[in-house]
PDB file of all heavy atoms in Angstrom:
ATOM      1  N   GLU D 294     -18.848  25.625  -7.719  1.00 98.00           N
ATOM      2  CA  GLU D 294     -17.547  26.124  -7.185  1.00 98.00           C
ATOM      3  C   GLU D 294     -17.468  25.636  -5.752  1.00 98.00           C
ATOM      4  O   GLU D 294     -18.355  25.915  -4.939  1.00 98.00           O
ATOM      5  CB  GLU D 294     -17.559  27.697  -7.214  1.00 98.00           C
ATOM      6  CG  GLU D 294     -16.483  28.310  -6.424  1.00 98.00           C
ATOM      7  CD  GLU D 294     -16.707  29.807  -6.082  1.00 98.00           C
ATOM      8  OE1 GLU D 294     -17.500  30.440  -6.807  1.00 98.00           O
ATOM      9  OE2 GLU D 294     -16.117  30.255  -5.153  1.00 98.00           O
ATOM     10  N   GLY D 295     -16.393  24.916  -5.424  1.00 98.00           N
ATOM     11  CA  GLY D 295     -16.206  24.469  -4.037  1.00 98.00           C
ATOM     12  C   GLY D 295     -14.898  25.049  -3.524  1.00 98.00           C
ATOM     13  O   GLY D 295     -13.840  24.945  -4.168  1.00 98.00           O
ATOM     14  N   ASN D 296     -14.970  25.648  -2.343  1.00 98.00           N
ATOM     15  CA  ASN D 296     -13.739  26.141  -1.668  1.00 98.00           C
ATOM     16  C   ASN D 296     -13.593  25.393  -0.367  1.00 98.00           C
ATOM     17  O   ASN D 296     -14.543  25.433   0.438  1.00 98.00           O
ATOM     18  CB  ASN D 296     -13.857  27.648  -1.421  1.00 98.00           C
ATOM     19  CG  ASN D 296     -13.800  28.417  -2.685  1.00 98.00           C
ATOM     20  OD1 ASN D 296     -12.788  28.536  -3.352  1.00 98.00           O
ATOM     21  ND2 ASN D 296     -14.937  29.031  -3.037  1.00 98.00           N
ATOM     22  N   ALA D 297     -12.414  24.857  -0.129  1.00 98.00           N
ATOM     23  CA  ALA D 297     -12.225  24.128   1.109  1.00 98.00           C
ATOM     24  C   ALA D 297     -12.318  25.080   2.344  1.00 98.00           C
ATOM     25  O   ALA D 297     -12.650  24.614   3.401  1.00 98.00           O
ATOM     26  CB  ALA D 297     -10.877  23.417   1.071  1.00 98.00           C
ATOM     27  N   CYS D 298     -11.943  26.372   2.134  1.00 98.00           N
ATOM     28  CA  CYS D 298     -11.930  27.277   3.248  1.00 98.00           C
ATOM     29  C   CYS D 298     -13.197  28.047   3.355  1.00 98.00           C
ATOM     30  O   CYS D 298     -13.763  28.463   2.348  1.00 98.00           O
ATOM     31  CB  CYS D 298     -10.702  28.165   3.119  1.00 98.00           C
ATOM     32  SG  CYS D 298      -9.204  27.286   3.028  1.00 98.00           S
ATOM     33  N   ILE D 299     -13.611  28.382   4.567  1.00 97.00           N
ATOM     34  CA  ILE D 299     -14.797  29.135   4.814  1.00 97.00           C
ATOM     35  C   ILE D 299     -14.546  30.578   4.283  1.00 97.00           C
ATOM     36  O   ILE D 299     -13.572  31.191   4.602  1.00 97.00           O
ATOM     37  CB  ILE D 299     -15.185  29.152   6.252  1.00 97.00           C
ATOM     38  CG1 ILE D 299     -15.654  27.696   6.619  1.00 97.00           C
ATOM     39  CG2 ILE D 299     -16.306  30.149   6.546  1.00 97.00           C
ATOM     40  CD1 ILE D 299     -15.963  27.536   8.076  1.00 97.00           C
ATOM     41  N   GLY D 300     -15.410  31.010   3.392  1.00 97.00           N
ATOM     42  CA  GLY D 300     -15.318  32.362   2.844  1.00 97.00           C
ATOM     43  C   GLY D 300     -14.465  32.338   1.536  1.00 97.00           C
ATOM     44  O   GLY D 300     -14.326  33.395   0.893  1.00 97.00           O
ATOM     45  N   GLY D 301     -13.943  31.173   1.183  1.00 98.00           N
ATOM     46  CA  GLY D 301     -13.056  31.129   0.007  1.00 98.00           C
ATOM     47  C   GLY D 301     -11.615  31.303   0.427  1.00 98.00           C
ATOM     48  O   GLY D 301     -11.278  31.176   1.606  1.00 98.00           O
ATOM     49  N   CYS D 302     -10.776  31.690  -0.527  1.00 98.00           N
ATOM     50  CA  CYS D 302      -9.306  31.762  -0.274  1.00 98.00           C
ATOM     51  C   CYS D 302      -8.928  32.828   0.785  1.00 98.00           C
ATOM     52  O   CYS D 302      -7.913  32.708   1.415  1.00 98.00           O
ATOM     53  CB  CYS D 302      -8.539  31.979  -1.544  1.00 98.00           C
ATOM     54  SG  CYS D 302      -8.733  30.615  -2.690  1.00 98.00           S
ATOM     55  N   VAL D 303      -9.780  33.803   0.985  1.00 98.00           N
ATOM     56  CA  VAL D 303      -9.511  34.779   2.049  1.00 98.00           C
ATOM     57  C   VAL D 303      -9.503  34.075   3.382  1.00 98.00           C
ATOM     58  O   VAL D 303      -9.039  34.619   4.378  1.00 98.00           O
ATOM     59  CB  VAL D 303     -10.522  35.949   2.069  1.00 98.00           C
ATOM     60  CG1 VAL D 303     -10.244  36.949   0.946  1.00 98.00           C
ATOM     61  CG2 VAL D 303     -11.926  35.493   2.072  1.00 98.00           C
ATOM     62  N   GLY D 304     -10.082  32.896   3.434  1.00 97.00           N
ATOM     63  CA  GLY D 304     -10.087  32.109   4.730  1.00 97.00           C
ATOM     64  C   GLY D 304      -9.010  31.079   4.748  1.00 97.00           C
ATOM     65  O   GLY D 304      -9.015  30.136   5.580  1.00 97.00           O
ATOM     66  N   GLY D 305      -8.071  31.116   3.837  1.00 98.00           N
ATOM     67  CA  GLY D 305      -6.990  30.170   3.750  1.00 98.00           C
ATOM     68  C   GLY D 305      -6.162  30.049   5.037  1.00 98.00           C
ATOM     69  O   GLY D 305      -6.047  31.008   5.772  1.00 98.00           O
ATOM     70  N   PRO D 306      -5.624  28.887   5.304  1.00 97.00           N
ATOM     71  CA  PRO D 306      -4.839  28.679   6.604  1.00 97.00           C
ATOM     72  C   PRO D 306      -3.609  29.591   6.707  1.00 97.00           C
ATOM     73  O   PRO D 306      -3.097  29.748   7.761  1.00 97.00           O
ATOM     74  CB  PRO D 306      -4.403  27.201   6.547  1.00 97.00           C
ATOM     75  CG  PRO D 306      -5.218  26.586   5.440  1.00 97.00           C
ATOM     76  CD  PRO D 306      -5.724  27.669   4.521  1.00 97.00           C
ATOM     77  N   LEU D 307      -3.143  30.107   5.549  1.00 97.00           N
ATOM     78  CA  LEU D 307      -1.899  30.919   5.640  1.00 97.00           C
ATOM     79  C   LEU D 307      -2.234  32.415   5.533  1.00 97.00           C
ATOM     80  O   LEU D 307      -1.357  33.232   5.195  1.00 97.00           O
ATOM     81  CB  LEU D 307      -0.910  30.494   4.601  1.00 97.00           C
ATOM     82  CG  LEU D 307      -0.444  28.997   4.699  1.00 97.00           C
ATOM     83  CD1 LEU D 307       0.553  28.688   3.587  1.00 97.00           C
ATOM     84  CD2 LEU D 307       0.209  28.797   6.056  1.00 97.00           C
TER      85      LEU D 307
END
Side-chain angles (χ1 to χ4, degrees):
Chain D
E294 169 196 338
N296 290 293
C298 300
I299 293 176
C302 297
V303 286
L307 301 179

